[in-house]
Amino acid sequence: MLLKNYIPNVNKKYREVFFSGISFDSSRVKKNNIFFAIKGNKVDGNDYIDDALKKGAKVIISEKKFLKKNNIIFLQSANIRKLLANVSYKIFNKKPKKLVAVTGTNGKSSIADFYYQILNLNLKKVASIGTIGIRFKGKKKSIDNTTLDPIQLSTILDKLKKEKVEYTIMEASSHGLKQNRLDGLLFDVGIFTNLTHDHLDYHKNMKNYLKSKLYLFENLIKKKGNIITDANISQFNQIKKISQKKKINLNLIFNKEKGIELISHKFLKEKQILEIRFKNKRYVTELNLIGKIQINNLLMAILAANKSGLEFKKIINVIKEIKPVEGRLEKIGKIKNNSKVILDYAHTPAALELALLNLKEQFPASKLNVIFGCGGNRDSKKDL
């Protein structure tokens, strides 16, 4: 590989320089690699440049400016994370045909899993990447972060393509978007769920938090691609403006003209019966999921599946077969007094409140007992 094909505007004297690969972890550097010296919140990659050179790094890229040293090439970048992502997705340039990204505070994992199930039940080759891991062909692999670093993610997408996976949905976290981990990818569909208090230890305020989420729609959706969201959320007008400016189609849940309308809903013990309208046709379907909030997530997944090219009737035909997502209003058993035990990974105050309200609404005659915990020493205000 030559620098001229991967590093934009590289100095003419370096254009024909060969490199063997890339890394931002000095312990993983190999001979003739490019080492990206990234300054993080806790660790500064610039402190490990000598280690990278001992391992055989040939090119060093940093936001800092360095003096020339022997035969080592030092390049400066104003946004090293973005450059790393773009180079990663150029090196591993094979990826599934349809890419979907879902962002927001709550609901990402459920939407990704429902999308996966809908396509899988329709015998499509699909994968999901996010909090609950990587899923494809009935396999599941755990991962460390909701949104992986670009070297890992580009490698995984390349492997999925080789496995003939055609559709991939991934969770786009605010950290991942802020750190440009997805730059270099363009998505066919982008989903925005909602925005509530979370990750303010990192983003400092809600304005910054929202800005990181909206980056997906402002920069990473294909022209004439699709945005899916809910017109009832307070961020809707900002998303609508982005869709108009960028010429991206806007699709909405609970909306007759722009997407899916919910005509009626009722509980039937642990099931839910839905009547919906899509393009002036009515459909009645049974949902074997606990919690009315599941409907929001399901409708977004249905729209995403349809915008990925799946016929709407084929989507509806498999809805009754959809299973609960692990740790999302999931019934995990009963105790001696015959009470249901339901697990939910509610990690924000709003999510916990919503889960409890949903359970009370579906089982109004039942007594509700709650056990919850707060992990962290991170966003302490969230625990108050």
Side-chain angles (χ1 to χ4, degrees):
M1 295 179 285
L2 302 179
L3 286 183
K4 68 178 181 181
N5 297 323
Y6 296 90
I7 308 294
N9 305 315
V10 68
N11 191 302
K12 286 184 179 180
K13 62 182 177 180
Y14 301 137
R15 288 173 61 82
E16 301 298 325
V17 169
F18 166 84
F19 70 97
S20 60
I22 59 176
S23 180
F24 62 90
D25 181 346
S26 63
S27 67
R28 297 186 179 184
V29 169
K30 295 180 180 178
K31 187 178 180 182
N32 293 327
N33 270 191
I34 298 175
F35 176 63
F36 288 78
I38 296 174
K39 187 181 187 308
N41 293 326
K42 296 179 179 179
V43 178
D44 188 348
N46 292 286
D47 296 336
Y48 295 86
I49 288 175
D50 286 341
D51 291 343
L53 293 175
K54 288 175 185 175
K55 287 269 191 173
K58 186 176 188 176
V59 180
I60 305 295
I61 300 181
S62 172
E63 291 179 353
K64 294 183 178 181
K65 191 172 183 179
F66 288 90
L67 297 173
K68 292 181 180 179
K69 183 177 179 181
N70 301 328
N71 295 320
I72 306 304
I73 298 170
F74 285 93
L75 302 177
Q76 191 175 15
S77 172
N79 189 336
I80 191 170
R81 291 183 184 274
K82 186 170 184 175
L83 180 60
L84 171 65
N86 279 300
V87 173
S88 298
Y89 299 118
K90 278 185 181 180
I91 292 173
F92 296 99
N93 59 4
K94 292 182 173 62
K95 53 189 73 68
K97 179 176 68 174
K98 293 286 182 182
L99 293 180
V100 180
V102 52
T103 196
T105 307
N106 303 308
K108 297 188 297 296
S109 298
S110 293
I111 292 169
D113 196 82
F114 292 157
Y115 176 91
Y116 175 89
Q117 289 190 60
I118 290 168
L119 270 74
N120 191 51
L121 288 165
N122 275 283
L123 305 179
K124 300 296 183 183
K125 293 177 179 176
V126 60
S128 65
I129 305 171
T131 307
I132 57 178
I134 303 168
R135 291 184 66 192
F136 77 103
K137 291 188 176 181
K139 305 172 187 175
K140 190 171 88 168
K141 180 183 177 183
S142 297
I143 54 178
D144 295 329
N145 296 310
T146 299
T147 305
L148 294 166
D149 72 71
I151 296 178
Q152 281 185 294
L153 184 54
S154 60
T155 305
I156 288 166
L157 292 174
D158 188 80
K159 286 180 179 177
L160 290 174
K161 178 65 176 178
K162 288 174 182 174
E163 291 277 356
K164 302 190 185 322
V165 170
E166 297 177 320
Y167 307 84
T168 297
I169 185 166
M170 63 185 78
E171 296 178 48
S173 69
S174 58
H175 289 68
L177 290 165
K178 172 71 175 174
Q179 295 175 5
N180 301 105
R181 295 181 209 164
L182 298 177
D183 280 69
L185 293 175
L186 281 177
F187 294 90
D188 300 275
V189 180
I191 306 169
F192 186 97
T193 62
N194 49 64
L195 196 83
T196 61
H197 184 126
D198 203 12
H199 300 306
L200 297 195
D201 56 319
Y202 179 76
H203 295 290
K204 307 306 178 189
N205 56 60
M206 292 297 289
K207 183 179 178 180
N208 290 342
Y209 182 35
L210 175 60
K211 185 179 178 181
S212 71
K213 296 289 189 184
L214 295 182
Y215 187 88
L216 171 66
F217 309 101
E218 291 173 329
N219 299 281
L220 304 178
I221 307 295
K222 289 180 179 177
K223 194 173 182 179
K224 297 185 179 179
N226 289 277
I227 294 174
I228 296 169
T229 192
D230 181 354
N232 298 309
I233 60 174
S234 60
Q235 298 80 24
F236 171 69
N237 286 333
Q238 288 164 276
I239 295 170
K240 183 180 178 181
K241 285 178 183 176
I242 293 169
S243 75
Q244 291 171 338
K245 182 180 178 182
K246 299 289 183 178
K247 295 183 169 55
I248 304 171
N249 299 308
L250 187 61
N251 307 271
L252 305 172
I253 59 172
F254 308 122
N255 188 284
K256 181 180 177 181
E257 285 75 31
K258 288 281 188 178
I260 299 178
E261 179 187 11
L262 180 65
I263 299 171
S264 68
H265 165 270
K266 64 180 179 181
F267 294 113
L268 186 63
K269 296 182 179 179
E270 293 180 18
K271 297 181 180 181
Q272 304 183 61
I273 309 301
L274 311 181
E275 184 180 3
I276 62 176
R277 177 163 31 215
F278 181 75
K279 292 185 177 178
N280 295 319
K281 287 188 178 181
R282 293 190 177 208
Y283 304 85
V284 177
T285 187
E286 183 180 281
L287 190 59
N288 292 304
L289 300 173
I290 292 172
K292 196 173 180 180
I293 186 58
Q294 304 275 25
I295 297 171
N296 293 45
N297 300 330
L298 179 69
L299 294 182
M300 287 188 177
I302 287 173
L303 280 175
N306 181 250
K307 295 305 173 183
S308 296
L310 194 58
E311 185 182 334
F312 198 82
K313 190 174 181 180
K314 289 183 177 180
I315 297 171
I316 295 299
N317 287 343
V318 301
I319 294 303
K320 62 181 180 293
E321 298 180 54
I322 288 180
K323 296 177 181 178
V325 181
E326 183 180 318
R328 275 70 177 178
L329 288 172
E330 176 192 12
K331 182 182 173 183
I332 58 175
K334 292 183 178 181
I335 55 177
K336 287 182 180 179
N337 66 2
N338 214 34
S339 295
K340 299 176 184 68
V341 180
I342 296 168
L343 174 66
D344 191 78
Y345 177 56
H347 63 288
T348 68
L352 178 58
E353 181 183 16
L354 191 58
L356 297 177
L357 289 171
N358 270 243
L359 291 172
K360 200 63 184 173
E361 182 181 15
Q362 190 160 352
F363 306 106
S366 298
K367 183 180 178 182
L368 196 61
N369 295 291
V370 184
I371 300 173
F372 74 98
C374 301
N377 293 323
R378 287 179 57 192
D379 189 357
S380 57
K381 289 183 179 179
K382 195 168 72 176
D383 302 337
L384 298 178

